Amino acid sequence: MKQLKYLIGLLLSLAIAITLVVPSATATGVYDLPVLSAGSSTWVVDQANTISLSNENELSNQLSKLAENTGKEVRLIAVRRLDYDTTIKSLADDIFSKWYPTPEAQANQIILVVDTFTNNTALRQGDATKSLLTDDIATSIVKETVAFPLRDGAKYNQAFLDASDRLVAVLSGDPDPGPPATQEINIESTFTSAEDTDDANATTWVIVLLVLATAIPMATYFWYVGLPGR
């Protein structure tokens, strides 16, 4: 009987360890990303592996030419999911301040960050770009240019290409092409809040743990009593 209890305890411990480790294994915080700086030749950081190689090259060429012609640098970032207690806005703020630690370094920088787990998006920019990339345009890029393709089948390549096209046009001093022509989407329902996501995840893992806690002992018990001589 002691052996049975030991086996059950071991299985439950393993189940608990899996529930605690697996969700965090792919989570991202600022320290999980490479550290870039103004003038870096890296324009796309695709930790989530959502952008094809050909499109990543196209984006890099486009953004490199923008920097060469205007001095304004745009970097696109895709992450799989966020660390606990991290929001897409706080991650964007952390990246911006870590990569560009002074107002002078931040002045001509723009980053666009997408969390592919929730499709939440944030844009952060320096003071010298705001005369062209106004708050209204920046908000529209996040809530329309990026959001529409993500809602339409999680089209990450299209979302980043469309965002890059619009950012390059605006930061080059050309007229704003505006968001993609598509059916209007209720933006409030586009993204799941960090709080809702955390609650849903917590509920799911509690249910899984309860099922494991019930099923594993039952299966082990029936296996034990079915042994020859029992």
Side-chain angles (χ1 to χ4, degrees):
M1 196 65 183
K2 289 183 179 180
Q3 186 178 10
L4 175 61
K5 290 181 179 179
Y6 173 77
L7 179 61
I8 292 173
L10 183 62
L11 290 172
L12 285 176
S13 297
L14 179 61
I16 293 171
I18 291 173
T19 62
L20 293 176
V21 173
V22 171
S24 62
T26 58
T28 300
V30 66
Y31 293 103
D32 299 305
L33 296 168
V35 179
L36 305 181
S37 60
S40 169
S41 60
T42 299
W43 306 101
V44 180
V45 178
D46 183 19
Q47 191 200 57
N49 296 321
T50 59
I51 307 173
S52 69
L53 180 59
S54 61
N55 284 331
E56 184 172 337
N57 289 335
E58 180 179 344
L59 290 167
S60 295
N61 290 334
Q62 190 177 37
L63 298 177
S64 177
K65 290 179 181 178
L66 174 69
E68 183 180 349
N69 294 334
T70 69
K72 297 174 176 60
E73 300 183 359
V74 176
R75 291 183 173 83
L76 308 175
I77 305 159
V79 300
R80 293 185 184 90
R81 57 176 295 153
L82 303 176
D83 274 344
Y84 180 72
D85 277 348
T86 299
T87 66
I88 192 66
K89 182 181 182 302
S90 67
L91 178 62
D93 289 342
D94 289 344
I95 294 171
F96 201 74
S97 61
K98 186 173 180 61
W99 288 5
Y100 318 116
T102 66
E104 292 77 18
Q106 295 173 359
N108 286 296
Q109 304 299 321
I110 303 97
I111 62 170
L112 180 70
V113 188
V114 176
D115 164 26
T116 61
F117 186 73
T118 63
N119 286 344
N120 280 327
T121 306
L123 186 148
R124 189 80 163 76
Q125 65 172 318
D127 291 338
T129 65
K130 292 182 178 180
S131 59
L132 295 171
L133 184 57
T134 64
D135 289 342
D136 287 343
I137 295 175
T139 299
S140 176
I141 289 172
V142 169
K143 293 189 174 182
E144 296 175 304
T145 304
V146 176
F148 289 162
L150 298 189
R151 288 290 295 171
D152 185 22
K155 297 176 180 177
Y156 296 101
N157 283 278
Q158 181 182 339
F160 280 110
L161 289 169
D162 289 349
S164 180
D165 287 343
R166 191 172 179 188
L167 284 165
V168 167
V170 169
L171 294 169
S172 298
D174 297 331
D176 176 20
T182 185
Q183 184 176 357
E184 183 177 355
I185 296 175
N186 181 3
I187 298 302
E188 291 184 356
S189 65
T190 297
F191 303 124
T192 303
S193 69
E195 292 79 5
D196 290 343
T197 301
D198 290 340
D199 289 346
N201 288 340
T203 301
T204 300
W205 287 110
V206 167
I207 292 173
V208 169
L209 183 57
L210 289 174
V211 170
L212 289 172
T214 303
I216 292 174
M218 289 179 62
T220 305
Y221 171 76
F222 286 119
W223 167 80
Y224 179 75
V225 298
L227 291 175
R230 297 296 177 189

